[in-house]
Amino acid sequence: MVNVIGYGIICAIGNNAEEVLSSLKAGKTGIGPMHYLQSSHRELPVGEVKLSDEEMKRMLGLDEKKVVSRTVLMGAIAIRQALEQTLGSMVNGQWSMEGKRVVLINGTTVGGMDITERYFKQMQTDDALLPLVEKHDCGSATREMADLAGLRDAEVCTVSTACSSAVNAIILGAEMLRRGEADIVIAGGTEALSRFHLNGFNSLMILDKEPCRPFDKTRAGLNLGEGAAFVVLKASPDPSKGGGKQSPGVSPVYISGYANRCDAFHQTASSENGEGAYLAMTDALLMAGLKPRDIQYINAHGTGTPNNDASESAAIRRVFGEDIPPVSSTKGFTGHTTSASGAIETVICILALLHNFIPANLGWQEQDEDCITPVPLQFSLKGKIKDSLPLREGRGGSILCNSFGFGGNDSALVISKKTAPLQPSPEEGGFKVQTLGECIIDNVEQLGELRDFVSPGEARRMGRLMKAATITSLKALRAAGVECPDAIITATAYGMLETSEKFLTDMLENGEETLSPTLFMQSTHNTLSSAIAIRLGCHGYNMTYTQGGDSLEWALRDARRLIETGRARTVLVGCHDEATPMFQAFLRRMGKPEPPMLYSRSIVLSATNS
Amino acid sequence: MEQLINDLKLQIKEALNLEELSMEDFDENAPLFGEGGIGLDSIDVLEIIVLLEKKYGIRLSNPKEGKAIFQSIKTIAEYVQANRKK
């Protein structure tokens, strides 16, 4: 079983768990006018962490002039808080966990983008700024964060499934603990506001100029937020086997169920019946051995966009029928903290469970027949804010936390005060893994083959790497004789570098208007995995690893875990990366080897029949 | 009007990367969305909104407003003619 033994959080409504708890109970939002982000879109309200980069560096004991991504700073602060709860204090700036296998798993999408966008133009001519190139990708941001947080010796891993990244980080951590691959896991996510992703979401026309109103009839989009949250996880012995006694000071909270599924519908929209969300919730409950009526509160993904909230409501109605537990989205407090949101909301759920209250759904006033009815802020007759409602009575003391992402990367967690042994047990299965098919593309000229698989109409929006990944995936599947795999796992160090670079260049040269949504929607690392899922109609497990040169190894480990435990018979693993002339020039100036312009390798793994 | 329709066809072809579509096949009265037409989707709507702002100075802040305007190249041309700022 997986025990939460510490948690840390920093977001728009507080710089630590205590402040967050007090804002939640007081119904106090953290969304407001832009203060730290330097964007021309002053009309857009945001949920900023109320600290400057310099203040955060001081908190971490860093030189204020050192260039460090805000994503890294917030993450390091949250990790330190989480470890302080369990370990007390650091020795020489590092946590002492000798003899323990410690793994840090981070969910992020922007990585060091805030730094890249600030220095991008100068980097093209000024050699002194070149080291920043190596701080851009998500994996190196995680590595730097581990060092600053006092986890220099920890193994690090980064997952990137857009807005569900942090929940998938927690799911991976729980899996590793259950399989005995680690002794301590620190898992969560961090994401700073950047002009890149503010403008990206703006190009999709899903940002509201007013404070967001999740599930309200008049809702008109989301407000972006930022922050970080991490939980410290440890495997606890099964009580039926004589274990389960709490060590003193350990919070009695468990990750008691989880599921990662794919909506496989559209790159930036959720399906009408919320299939991915429905599967994620249903399977998380199944794993926890719980019935829908056992859930005391649902922390919804609830972004405030017309599409998400209607789709999520449809899915909740499908799972819970007439007996829907109290639901709220806490994004009216924090804004949508994208990749970090799953961890921020996990910590909010832990606080709700430990302090027995339902966080309010700020901004909700008018019922929408397409949406569930959330728990609004409670007012007295005199119009004063009243205390939050207590959690609904429930058997196990359990909360469901939803976290969905672009591309239909939908995940759900069950967080409980008590837990039964999770289903299936990690030892079950005992299957062996074999390779059924493989395909590699390392040359742009090979992309002509796309015509054999995809119509020109479908291909017109695909970037180069997407084309390569599509060909190798489909050819590997054909060689394996597999039509639709049970799971899709992608490894990519930089993701769709070409489209990201185009969007960034356009934004910096032509300003923050009239930017292309097509470029932005391809810039998230999980685009490849989810596009293939959409093409194949694959609703199973869908994951993207972005840990530099280690990404493929992480992806293969994950595939083996799924197959050996019998949760997947066939898994499509892809390793896809590309370079651009500008990126190659950066590395040339640094005296580093130039990466290939294009590399895509797909492998189909399966359980052996013996 | 004919000139505007031709300009729009070329601009939309370029913005949406519709290389395979010949100008003869690009009928200004054909429905842009749904079955039996050009087959565009919601992301294309956003790209056309960007195009109208860039080329004609027209700002649409809600993609829903676009529904009536974006039925065909003809309806877009009529809207542009009535509302263009450049």
Side-chain angles (χ1 to χ4, degrees):
Chain A
M1 298 187 302
V2 181
N3 201 343
V4 179
I5 59 170
Y7 50 85
I9 185 168
I10 177 167
C11 63
I13 54 168
N15 298 334
N16 54 51
E18 207 176 310
E19 289 178 17
V20 168
L21 176 64
S22 120
S23 299
L24 286 171
K25 290 198 135 186
K28 198 175 136 204
T29 182
I31 295 170
M34 213 174 278
H35 187 69
Y36 299 103
L37 182 67
Q38 300 296 312
S39 163
S40 63
H41 288 293
R42 313 301 294 181
E43 77 282 7
L44 295 170
V46 285
E48 290 180 311
V49 167
K50 309 294 183 283
L51 291 169
S52 66
D53 289 9
E54 288 67 31
E55 285 169 312
M56 285 194 250
K57 285 177 208 170
R58 277 204 293 276
M59 285 168 78
L60 291 164
L62 298 173
D63 179 352
E64 279 179 35
K65 293 204 180 70
K66 190 176 155 75
V67 180
V68 186
S69 161
R70 195 170 166 86
T71 307
V72 171
L73 294 169
M74 295 187 308
I77 289 170
I79 293 168
R80 282 200 194 180
Q81 289 171 7
L83 287 167
E84 267 162 26
Q85 285 193 347
T86 37
L87 296 173
S89 58
M90 292 193 279
V91 182
N92 299 327
Q94 297 293 312
W95 300 98
S96 166
M97 286 182 270
E98 255 170 60
K100 297 258 198 285
R101 291 164 302 161
V102 181
V103 183
L104 170 66
I105 308 171
N106 180 28
T108 190
T109 298
V110 300
M113 183 59 90
D114 61 320
I115 297 298
T116 306
E117 69 185 18
R118 200 178 307 159
Y119 296 104
F120 191 62
K121 279 187 178 164
Q122 291 145 273
M123 275 154 68
Q124 292 170 36
T125 50
D126 185 350
D127 284 356
L129 291 169
L130 278 176
L132 298 180
V133 173
E134 291 190 297
K135 289 187 167 203
H136 169 77
D137 71 291
C138 299
S140 60
T142 305
R143 185 68 261 176
E144 188 181 15
M145 187 172 76
D147 293 346
L148 297 184
L151 292 169
R152 204 172 39 211
D153 300 325
E155 191 178 7
V156 299
C157 177
T158 311
V159 300
S160 196
T161 57
C163 299
S164 58
S165 300
V167 155
N168 283 327
I170 294 171
I171 291 177
L172 172 64
E175 282 290 296
M176 290 183 73
L177 289 168
R178 292 181 68 215
R179 296 261 290 163
E181 296 173 45
D183 299 309
I184 302 273
V185 169
I186 299 101
T190 178
E191 195 97 310
L193 281 164
S194 67
R195 281 193 288 159
F196 184 94
H197 85 297
L198 184 87
N199 280 287
F201 278 86
N202 200 33
S203 77
L204 293 170
M205 297 184 117
I206 52 174
L207 295 181
D208 196 343
K209 292 185 181 66
E210 304 296 324
C212 67
R213 300 170 298 288
F215 300 109
D216 189 273
K217 196 177 171 70
T218 67
R219 70 191 182 282
L222 59 91
N223 307 136
L224 277 178
E226 65 179 355
F230 282 84
V231 290
V232 185
L233 304 174
K234 189 172 157 263
S236 59
D238 183 343
S240 65
K241 293 176 186 160
K245 204 172 147 236
Q246 291 293 332
S247 38
V250 169
S251 62
V253 176
Y254 299 88
I255 304 297
S256 59
Y258 43 84
N260 160 325
R261 296 292 177 264
C262 191
D263 201 33
F265 174 71
H266 188 271
Q267 212 48 257
T268 59
S270 304
S271 60
E272 211 171 303
N273 69 352
E275 183 68 10
Y278 166 80
L279 293 170
M281 286 188 273
T282 310
D283 291 349
L285 288 172
L286 202 64
M287 184 179 197
L290 295 176
K291 296 265 181 292
R293 65 168 182 275
D294 297 325
I295 294 297
Q296 294 179 287
Y297 159 63
I298 303 171
N299 185 290
H301 187 59
T303 60
T305 64
N307 172 250
N308 174 83
D309 296 359
S311 171
E312 186 172 11
S313 292
I316 290 174
R317 283 172 175 162
R318 284 172 70 194
V319 178
F320 292 90
E322 294 293 303
D323 185 23
I324 297 175
V327 185
S328 73
S329 159
T330 43
K331 290 187 172 66
F333 284 97
T334 59
H336 186 2
T337 56
T338 54
S339 289
S341 65
I344 284 174
E345 286 156 29
T346 294
V347 172
I348 288 175
C349 289
I350 292 170
L351 293 171
L353 208 51
L354 294 176
H355 299 272
N356 190 28
F357 74 102
I358 299 171
N361 191 106
L362 294 187
W364 187 87
Q365 281 186 321
E366 199 178 336
Q367 180 69 46
D368 179 350
E369 60 181 40
D370 289 336
C371 286
I372 52 91
T373 309
V375 176
L377 199 55
Q378 307 294 308
F379 289 101
S380 70
L381 286 174
K382 288 179 182 166
K384 280 198 172 153
I385 294 173
K386 286 205 304 187
D387 284 349
S388 317
L389 297 173
L391 296 171
R392 150 172 124 162
E393 292 290 317
R395 208 165 42 127
S398 291
I399 286 178
L400 181 68
C401 181
N402 282 344
S403 194
F404 311 146
F406 275 166
N409 274 135
D410 296 346
S411 289
L413 279 186
V414 181
I415 303 154
S416 306
K417 278 189 168 173
K418 292 182 197 154
T419 180
L422 309 190
Q423 301 300 328
S425 94
E427 296 88 25
E428 266 172 42
F431 296 98
K432 296 271 178 290
V433 182
Q434 63 179 349
T435 305
L436 282 188
E438 186 167 353
C439 178
I440 296 178
I441 279 185
D442 53 8
N443 189 324
V444 179
E445 280 155 27
Q446 291 167 277
L447 297 182
E449 281 188 67
L450 190 69
R451 258 178 254 116
D452 302 341
F453 298 97
V454 171
S455 73
E458 286 176 291
R460 70 194 164 91
R461 271 206 291 258
M462 288 184 175
R464 202 178 44 188
L465 189 60
M466 178 71 82
K467 287 178 179 165
T470 304
I471 298 170
T472 59
S473 299
L474 297 179
K475 281 182 83 172
L477 286 166
R478 194 162 66 184
V482 173
E483 222 165 277
C484 179
D486 295 333
I488 299 174
I489 305 174
T490 294
T492 181
Y494 291 94
M496 307 273 278
L497 205 58
E498 191 183 33
T499 46
S500 305
E501 186 184 292
K502 266 190 202 157
F503 189 88
L504 188 59
T505 306
D506 199 16
M507 181 179 91
L508 296 174
E509 283 176 4
N510 305 321
E512 299 179 47
E513 300 290 339
T514 61
L515 291 163
S516 160
T518 308
L519 292 179
F520 176 68
M521 67 178 222
Q522 290 203 45
S523 75
T524 50
H525 298 75
N526 66 328
T527 306
L528 298 161
S529 242
S530 51
I532 294 159
I534 292 166
R535 173 163 303 281
L536 300 173
C538 176
H539 292 286
Y541 184 86
N542 194 294
M543 186 73 149
T544 298
Y545 288 89
T546 169
Q547 189 57 50
D550 298 336
S551 305
L552 180 59
E553 184 48 38
W554 280 104
L556 289 170
R557 267 170 87 173
D558 199 3
R560 284 195 291 267
R561 213 177 279 129
L562 290 175
I563 291 172
E564 284 168 7
T565 52
R567 274 173 299 165
R569 289 285 298 171
T570 53
V571 181
L572 172 66
V573 177
C575 175
H576 317 291
D577 265 297
E578 66 179 338
T580 64
M582 188 191 290
F583 186 61
Q584 287 192 322
F586 278 144
L587 294 178
R588 205 161 42 235
R589 279 164 58 207
M590 292 165 80
K592 305 250 172 195
E594 284 178 33
M597 284 301 278
L598 186 65
Y599 182 82
S600 168
R601 176 181 174 203
S602 291
I603 310 160
V604 179
L605 299 174
S606 85
T608 56
N609 291 321
S610 58
Chain B
M1 190 66 171
E2 204 150 299
Q3 179 60 43
L4 180 59
I5 284 175
N6 256 327
D7 289 351
L8 277 167
K9 279 186 184 176
L10 284 170
Q11 287 157 355
I12 286 176
K13 254 185 76 155
E14 194 199 335
L16 306 185
N17 214 352
L18 294 163
E19 286 154 13
E20 86 286 6
L21 193 68
S22 72
M23 284 301 267
E24 292 79 53
D25 289 342
F26 204 177
D27 179 357
E28 63 257 36
N29 293 308
L32 290 173
F33 301 92
E35 298 286 314
I38 310 290
L40 302 185
D41 68 10
S42 60
I43 298 295
D44 295 312
V45 171
L46 299 175
E47 289 290 357
I48 297 174
I49 291 175
V50 168
L51 184 150
L52 294 187
E53 183 167 352
K54 266 188 186 167
K55 306 276 184 196
Y56 304 100
I58 295 172
R59 285 193 91 142
L60 281 170
S61 54
N62 182 355
K64 278 187 189 155
E65 291 172 45
K67 227 172 178 182
I69 307 162
F70 298 157
Q71 285 176 27
S72 65
I73 294 289
K74 184 88 180 292
T75 57
I76 297 178
E78 283 162 4
Y79 184 80
V80 168
Q81 196 156 42
N83 295 281
R84 64 191 296 172
K85 306 264 171 359
K86 58 183 184 189

